[in-house]
Amino acid sequence: MSVSLSADSAPSDPDDELLVAYLDGELQRGERSELENRLLVDEPLRGRLTELQSSWDMLDVLSVDGSGVSLVETTLELAIADIDSSASGDYNRTNDSLQRSKTKSRWNQRRMAPVLLLSVMAGLAAWSFAAFESRQQQQNELRDLAIAQDLDAFNYGSDLTLMRHLAANPDWIEMVETAAELSAETQPLQPLRQVALDQRQSAIEQMSVDQRELLGSRWDAFSRLSDADQESIRQLAATIETQSDRDTLLNTMRAYATWRSRLPSGLVDQIEGDDADASRQAVRDAIDESKSSMAETSGSQLDDETVDVIYFAIQEFAKKRIGKDQRRYQPPGGFRGPLENPKTREWFAIRQMFGYPDRRGPGNRNRSNGGNQNRRRDVSLTSNEFATIESLLPTQSQETLGILTNGDPTLVTMTLQVWVEEVIRRKMPLRSDKSLLQRYQDLSEKQREIVDLMPPEKMLQSISGGRSGGQ
Amino acid sequence: MTVTESTALRYQQSDPDVRLMLRVRDDDAGAFAELVSRYEGRLVRLMRTIGPKADLAEDLAQETFLRVFRARKRYEAGAKFSTWLFTIAGNVARNSARSLGRRKEISEADAGRGDLSPSSPALLTHNAPDASGLMAARLVEGDERASVVRAAVESLSERQRMAMMLSRFENMSYQEIADTMNLTTKAVKSLLSRARVNLKEKLEPYIEHGVIENGAADQQATNAEREIE
């Protein structure tokens, strides 16, 4: 069966016309509603609609604009040639037999031709100048883009003396490297300043969507600055380019900008203050604070194997302790239901023995003052028990522990205590490990459509299974 | 056709390209350069599809701009600038097709045989496959897909192609397309409906089975040969 194409004059199917007009947004409201009602009940019509749109969508391949070759200059040249030839043609054709008025008119046209020619040439020059200016502006923007990419570094790392102190401080470098290793950022932005100006555009095109979005947001932030602020950042960037240690400086500035955003404001003020001794002390405190904080948050990154190993170890410790003193580790009485399950009773006992020994109220931990108060975290296991857990850890977790603590016994103990608490939390009976987002993603498309239309409170309640507010 | 003062004023206010064209009318060549710069890409794209040969697209676009320039003294703001420009473009493409057709007739008469261009719609229509004419099930991607689509588009009539381009890529309403092509909106409606249906018929085997029809396959082979040359 060969495909016969309908010619312009061939009658077209009224339904096809209706569907096409619908797809082109050309139907009146009444017609549109009527068709939509038909589409709801008429499956073949729906199929036809989809077919007509699918082939139309394929026309995207024709969407490429032009050939990339500018026609402006050659078209203007042709326009000049056109004026020139028409003027000389008119002149040649002028002869005495022409009526006087006609001759006058043509003479005028001939006289006007050079004026027009000049105008076109001036236009060409103006266009060339505008094109040159536009290229210049684009080059300037590409230059600024490299600066905008490091906007935070230039904003917060402008004290080059402090940056050099930090770059020479092994504790700080170690902390920064640890943070980088534990960071989820797998693909850092390629510094545009290292890319030649004429290659920056293609470098940007090769960036991932996320990287381009990030760069775009930094560019927006840079664009929002006042002219004076932009100029001062450009000058700082230029100054850094002249330094012999510019790469180290820039890397330090970037790391410092990230680091300071996670520090309490009091510590930041001291670090950036004029008192050199206070600044050095604040750096030391902030490094401790950061290490502790990293250890505190490292629990959330434990893999399932590590969780199982640690839980197995503390189950064994619990059995030994219960064997020695049964009365002390009785689960809470008076409850029915879940506590009748032996596993649940075991979990409660483990929690009582090892979990959350240092539950702190909101007022018990004053982070804003800085300092390494986290280091005083209470522990619930003996040093032997910690050593056993450490020896049982999978290799990767041992490496993480090493990176986090750099062998500092206090930090090792504190980190392992954090991990034990995390393991107990994760092993809580009846607990769902899924986050709200994961639960939302698990919903069917239809359920999601329903949830999407709910008020926020009800949506939260629905996703969390009635336990809103806690997660 | 004379344009009322209020219409001219309306288009002057609403369409910046009309304002540029009025400056061109007053011999402002910079404004002409700006208009060429603004429309060259779109015009070349249009000419690639509605012109008689894709490789003439730039020449035809340039010819269109030159006609705009030559007609500048007679310009009146009676429509959107793009409507006027694409009307001229349609005429340029049609004239070019006619003149190529005449040359072809002469050369055919000389050669004594018919020789349709491998990309001509007529050949593609002639080669439009029946069920056994499909190439062995062959998935098509990238360039192949583009060739299939181009071949399908070339099989449409010139007016269907023009209406399709104006609707799909210039986002013109039926009324604007009607103004550009000097047709009624009802005619545009039918034209676009036929264009969509014809495209569907030609692309259906590809959409459903990922196979290339014989006609499109020939087209691809020809394109590849051209590239090698």
Side-chain angles (χ1 to χ4, degrees):
Chain A
M1 185 191 78
S2 67
V3 177
S4 59
L5 300 181
S6 50
D8 294 351
S9 53
S12 56
D13 185 312
D15 270 354
D16 282 341
E17 270 193 20
L18 198 63
L19 290 172
V20 170
Y22 175 69
L23 291 169
D24 287 336
E26 291 279 345
L27 289 186
Q28 300 296 322
R29 184 185 287 185
E31 290 174 307
R32 199 172 59 226
S33 304
E34 200 178 312
L35 178 62
E36 282 171 350
N37 287 337
R38 269 185 70 196
L39 283 167
L40 281 174
V41 294
D42 189 342
E43 198 174 336
L45 195 69
R46 275 206 306 274
R48 184 77 175 169
L49 183 80
T50 311
E51 286 169 356
L52 289 171
Q53 185 56 28
S54 307
S55 49
W56 204 244
D57 287 343
M58 287 180 72
L59 293 175
D60 279 347
V61 295
L62 306 177
S63 66
V64 182
D65 272 3
S67 59
V69 178
S70 173
L71 298 178
V72 179
E73 279 180 68
T74 49
T75 308
L76 281 173
E77 280 164 12
L78 283 173
I80 293 169
D82 202 51
I83 294 164
D84 215 17
S85 66
S86 85
S88 60
D90 289 342
Y91 179 73
N92 290 336
R93 279 195 301 276
T94 307
N95 57 52
D96 292 338
S97 65
L98 289 171
Q99 290 172 5
R100 184 171 292 184
S101 61
K102 213 170 188 177
T103 306
K104 189 180 174 189
S105 152
R106 293 230 166 126
W107 190 87
N108 275 342
Q109 198 175 346
R110 194 179 45 165
R111 196 182 53 179
M112 284 306 289
V115 177
L116 193 53
L117 192 66
L118 279 175
S119 161
V120 170
M121 288 170 79
L124 187 57
W127 179 80
S128 302
F129 181 70
F132 172 76
E133 273 209 323
S134 156
R135 270 197 299 275
Q136 281 294 105
Q137 192 184 348
Q138 194 191 15
Q139 302 257 310
N140 288 340
E141 285 184 355
L142 283 171
R143 259 185 220 107
D144 280 349
L145 198 57
I147 295 172
Q149 191 180 24
D150 283 320
L151 187 59
D152 286 348
F154 290 121
N155 265 338
Y156 303 117
S158 57
D159 182 348
L160 300 189
T161 312
L162 173 63
M163 293 306 114
R164 287 191 168 109
H165 279 309
L166 290 175
N169 182 337
D171 285 345
W172 186 80
I173 291 170
E174 180 199 301
M175 183 274 301
V176 166
E177 285 173 354
T178 305
E181 284 193 49
L182 294 174
S183 161
E185 281 175 34
T186 50
Q187 211 182 356
L189 274 177
Q190 185 198 4
L192 280 177
R193 60 180 276 278
Q194 292 172 354
V195 180
L197 208 57
D198 58 346
Q199 287 165 15
R200 279 184 194 171
Q201 202 155 343
S202 62
I204 293 165
E205 281 161 14
Q206 282 164 17
M207 286 178 178
S208 67
V209 176
D210 288 348
Q211 286 179 329
R212 262 182 284 173
E213 272 184 13
L214 182 60
L215 187 59
S217 70
R218 289 181 185 175
W219 175 251
D220 289 344
F222 181 79
S223 307
R224 281 195 297 271
L225 294 177
S226 68
D227 288 349
D229 287 345
Q230 285 185 4
E231 193 48 40
S232 119
I233 287 178
R234 282 189 200 105
Q235 280 176 9
L236 176 62
T239 307
I240 286 164
E241 281 302 317
T242 62
Q243 309 294 307
S244 57
D245 58 346
R246 58 180 177 274
D247 288 336
T248 311
L249 263 178
L250 258 176
N251 286 336
T252 309
M253 288 160 71
R254 285 185 200 121
Y256 176 72
T258 309
W259 184 50
R260 93 190 273 290
S261 68
R262 294 173 188 154
L263 295 178
S265 54
L267 267 181
V268 171
D269 290 345
Q270 286 175 39
I271 290 171
E272 294 176 357
D274 294 333
D275 185 338
D277 289 340
S279 171
R280 273 194 289 276
Q281 182 56 46
V283 167
R284 279 194 290 274
D285 289 345
I287 291 171
D288 280 346
E289 169 84 14
S290 299
K291 281 185 175 176
S292 302
S293 167
M294 280 188 274
E296 288 271 359
T297 53
S298 62
S300 61
Q301 293 172 9
L302 292 181
D303 58 61
D304 289 346
E305 189 187 355
T306 307
V307 169
D308 287 342
V309 162
I310 295 177
Y311 196 66
F312 170 76
I314 55 181
Q315 274 175 313
E316 293 303 309
F317 304 152
K319 279 177 198 161
K320 278 187 192 168
R321 289 193 191 187
I322 291 167
K324 283 181 190 168
D325 186 356
Q326 287 213 351
R327 273 187 304 176
R328 191 176 161 195
Y329 299 111
Q330 283 298 317
F335 291 97
R336 297 187 62 79
L339 278 181
E340 288 172 356
N341 182 326
K343 283 206 162 189
T344 310
R345 291 168 71 88
E346 181 192 38
W347 182 85
F348 267 99
I350 286 173
R351 182 177 173 277
Q352 193 184 352
M353 280 179 244
F354 310 115
Y356 323 118
D358 62 337
R359 270 183 184 280
R360 289 158 293 199
N364 293 343
R365 191 173 172 217
N366 188 358
R367 287 173 62 91
S368 62
N369 286 338
N372 56 351
Q373 292 173 15
N374 285 333
R375 290 190 151 223
R376 292 199 295 271
R377 188 186 184 92
D378 294 334
V379 293
S380 56
L381 290 98
T382 65
S383 52
N384 277 344
E385 286 169 338
F386 279 126
T388 306
I389 290 175
E390 191 180 348
S391 66
L392 288 173
L393 289 175
T395 315
Q396 200 174 343
S397 295
Q398 282 186 349
E399 282 172 7
T400 308
L401 187 65
I403 291 167
L404 277 168
T405 61
N406 200 30
D408 178 340
T410 315
L411 266 178
V412 169
T413 304
M414 196 205 84
T415 307
L416 285 176
Q417 177 64 42
V418 169
W419 290 8
V420 165
E421 289 169 16
E422 170 68 17
V423 166
I424 295 171
R425 196 182 61 77
R426 284 205 213 171
K427 290 289 182 182
M428 183 172 82
L430 308 172
R431 173 182 179 271
S432 168
D433 283 334
K434 289 182 176 172
S435 66
L436 281 178
L437 180 63
Q438 285 168 325
R439 287 184 202 179
Y440 174 76
Q441 284 165 343
D442 285 348
L443 296 176
S444 71
E445 207 168 308
K446 208 166 188 178
Q447 286 171 320
R448 258 191 245 174
E449 274 176 26
I450 296 167
V451 168
D452 285 343
L453 295 172
M454 289 177 177
E457 192 63 29
K458 203 169 174 202
M459 181 194 257
L460 192 63
Q461 217 169 14
S462 169
I463 301 173
S464 62
R467 297 184 298 271
S468 67
Q471 293 172 63
Chain B
M1 188 183 75
T2 50
V3 177
T4 63
E5 214 168 288
S6 63
T7 305
L9 197 62
R10 180 158 53 88
Y11 284 112
Q12 258 188 72
Q13 281 170 345
S14 62
D15 186 351
D17 295 337
V18 163
R19 293 198 289 276
L20 274 176
M21 189 58 215
L22 289 171
R23 280 168 53 193
V24 175
R25 188 177 68 181
D26 297 336
D27 294 332
D28 181 341
F32 179 61
E34 179 60 29
L35 278 176
V36 175
S37 173
R38 281 188 191 185
Y39 281 93
E40 58 182 343
R42 290 157 66 183
L43 212 46
V44 171
R45 179 177 64 193
L46 179 75
M47 287 304 193
R48 263 201 206 122
T49 307
I50 66 165
K53 287 171 100 180
D55 55 9
L56 286 178
E58 283 173 25
D59 290 344
L60 295 179
Q62 205 155 42
E63 174 63 22
T64 307
F65 287 127
L66 279 178
R67 286 202 191 184
V68 166
F69 187 74
R70 284 178 201 140
R72 67 190 181 284
K73 291 294 178 192
R74 299 189 300 277
Y75 178 72
E76 287 180 80
K80 279 173 75 179
F81 173 75
S82 57
T83 305
W84 185 57
L85 180 73
F86 290 128
T87 305
I88 297 174
N91 292 337
V92 168
R94 212 167 298 123
N95 288 346
S96 169
R98 262 191 230 121
S99 103
L100 270 183
R102 273 200 296 275
R103 258 181 271 162
K104 195 174 288 168
E105 274 170 26
I106 293 163
S107 76
E108 276 169 16
D110 288 347
R113 63 185 176 84
D115 182 23
L116 289 173
S117 148
S119 64
S120 74
L123 182 67
L124 285 170
T125 313
H126 173 71
N127 280 344
D130 52 25
S132 60
L134 299 174
M135 274 182 72
R138 179 180 165 191
L139 290 169
V140 284
E141 290 171 4
D143 288 349
E144 291 180 340
R145 177 188 155 109
S147 297
V148 170
V149 175
R150 279 194 202 101
V153 169
E154 284 184 35
S155 70
L156 303 180
S157 74
E158 181 259 326
R159 290 206 303 178
Q160 287 176 20
R161 271 181 284 157
M162 177 82 173
M164 176 199 85
M165 290 301 286
L166 296 180
S167 167
R168 180 72 174 77
F169 295 106
E170 296 301 329
N171 295 318
M172 282 190 179
S173 67
Y174 284 6
Q175 183 60 57
E176 286 170 324
I177 298 171
D179 292 344
T180 306
M181 296 179 70
N182 203 17
L183 296 170
T184 61
T185 49
K186 194 172 181 313
V188 170
K189 195 174 176 185
S190 297
L191 210 50
L192 280 170
S193 165
R194 285 192 205 99
R196 282 224 199 208
V197 170
N198 287 339
L199 266 183
K200 183 196 90 64
E201 301 291 338
K202 294 296 287 184
L203 295 173
E204 204 161 34
Y206 169 75
I207 293 172
E208 286 184 1
H209 310 294
V211 293
I212 310 177
E213 293 172 352
N214 275 353
D218 290 347
Q219 166 74 6
Q220 260 181 255
T222 311
N223 288 346
E225 279 165 21
R226 275 188 200 154
E227 274 168 30
I228 292 165
E229 283 163 17

